Amino acid sequence: MPVMNKRLYELDSIRGIAAVMVILYHYSFRYGQLYGYEVPPPFSLPYGKYGVQLFFIVSGFVIFMTLEKAAYLSDFIVSRLSRLYPAYWVAVILTFLVVRVFSLPGREIRIKYAVLNLTMIQSWLAVPNVDGVYWTLAVELSFYALMCILFITKLLPKIELVSWLWLGVMAICSYLSANHFIQIPRVVTATYLLEYGNLFIAGIMFYRLMHQPRKSQYFVLLFALVIEYFLHKYLVILIVIYFEIFWSFIKGYLAILTAKPLVFLGSISYSLYLIHQNIGYIIIQALERFGVATSTSIILIPLAISVLIASLMYKYIEKPGMKFIRNAWKNGRFGKHETIVTSQA
């Protein structure tokens, strides 16, 4: 079975930057909206929440790259499960316990809902998330499922045609919804990626431009930007910047992103993203309660603690858990294939 090419460290760094954007949004802005600051932070980054959109573009690039090189769909599924679940389970349990012990008004949920969160499909069960950031995982799972369908139906080589059709459906649904002709249920929007599908498609097109460039791919990217404007208006300006980043990446202009600190940040970005929000809010509240909060400490201290927790999770949970599951599959405990395609996602 084919093995992935050498790791693209720039993608790790881009993921790390996206995670930090979301974290700074939560600590410098969102916390104040929810609870108010006793000491205001030195800056506010409300647009940091759109680091999530950067994650989606990265996922489009990496997941298509992974599936294109996979000989068996089962290998891809095992690769995804091993990548997502070990760290996620620990994050769910840790976050639930910390919130239960120290209390975080508005963020506490019942234990039966926390157990259902372990499935990662709580959005489809109408169950609240243990941590608000988990909403993006439902979007990611929907993308994986749709890509698996394309793999099964052998439509991956026709991804450009599929992208045109997908974006067309998004445009039609956006128009009908905006003009109140139909009311599309939120679960349908999330399942079929009617709000963020253009970003995953953009990631796929950048991958194709890197390996099988065609002029038509630029038109798909342009259509993706048009859809972004329909959906989110002037957020399209930020998405253009993200496209510029990816263009520079595929052209080899972002070697600076292979710096070890950035690559390390990228390597822990998944765990960091999973555990930073509610636990960080509790740390900020503790700093305020004990009278040691300053404009910088309410950002730096929860960030430093989150990075420490994420580093430990990456070293002792994420990496060994992923290795164990993939080796178990490779060795025939759960299947018969001799090797397993690895993934950077």
Side-chain angles (χ1 to χ4, degrees), residues 161-185:
L161 174 60
V162 172
S163 296
W164 280 109
L165 295 173
W166 189 349
L167 292 171
V169 170
M170 290 182 66
I172 293 170
C173 290
S174 174
Y175 174 80
L176 294 176
S177 180
N179 289 278
H180 308 289
F181 291 116
I182 58 173
Q183 182 69 35
I184 302 176

Side-chain angles (χ1 to χ4, degrees), residues 259-277:
K260 288 185 177 180
L262 287 175
V263 173
F264 170 75
L265 183 63
S267 68
I268 67 168
S269 61
Y270 179 54
S271 292
L272 183 59
Y273 179 78
L274 291 176
I275 57 91
H276 79 272
Q277 185 178 202

Side-chain angles (χ1 to χ4, degrees), residues 276-296:
H276 79 272
Q277 185 178 202
N278 285 354
I279 292 175
Y281 288 169
I282 287 172
I283 294 169
I284 294 173
Q285 289 188 345
L287 293 173
E288 293 177 339
R289 185 163 55 252
F290 290 108
V292 294
T294 66
S295 61
T296 54

Side-chain angles (χ1 to χ4, degrees), residues 179-244:
N179 289 278
H180 308 289
F181 291 116
I182 58 173
Q183 182 69 35
I184 302 176
R186 187 65 188 171
V187 66
V188 173
T189 299
T191 300
Y192 296 100
L193 300 177
L194 299 180
E195 186 174 359
Y196 300 107
N198 59 314
L199 301 176
F200 292 102
I201 288 171
I204 293 171
M205 289 303 109
F206 280 115
Y207 173 77
R208 294 297 287 254
L209 281 168
M210 192 175 192
H211 297 281
Q212 296 173 302
R214 295 172 57 184
K215 290 183 180 179
S216 59
Q217 293 152 4
Y218 292 104
F219 290 102
V220 177
L221 287 170
L222 179 60
F223 196 4
L225 286 176
V226 171
I227 296 298
E228 187 63 32
Y229 179 75
F230 284 164
L231 291 171
H232 305 117
K233 301 305 179 187
Y234 295 104
L235 180 59
V236 70
I237 296 172
L238 181 61
I239 303 305
V240 168
I241 294 174
Y242 290 167
F243 281 17
E244 288 288 342

Side-chain angles (χ1 to χ4, degrees), residues 34-76:
L34 294 172
Y35 305 108
Y37 295 106
E38 289 188 5
V39 180
F43 63 88
S44 178
L45 194 66
Y47 293 105
K49 66 180 180 180
Y50 299 121
V52 167
Q53 277 75 352
L54 190 53
F55 275 125
F56 292 158
I57 299 174
V58 173
S59 288
F61 187 106
V62 174
I63 295 304
F64 185 82
M65 176 176 65
T66 306
L67 267 174
E68 190 178 58
K69 297 176 182 295
Y72 300 99
L73 182 61
S74 55
D75 283 341
F76 170 77

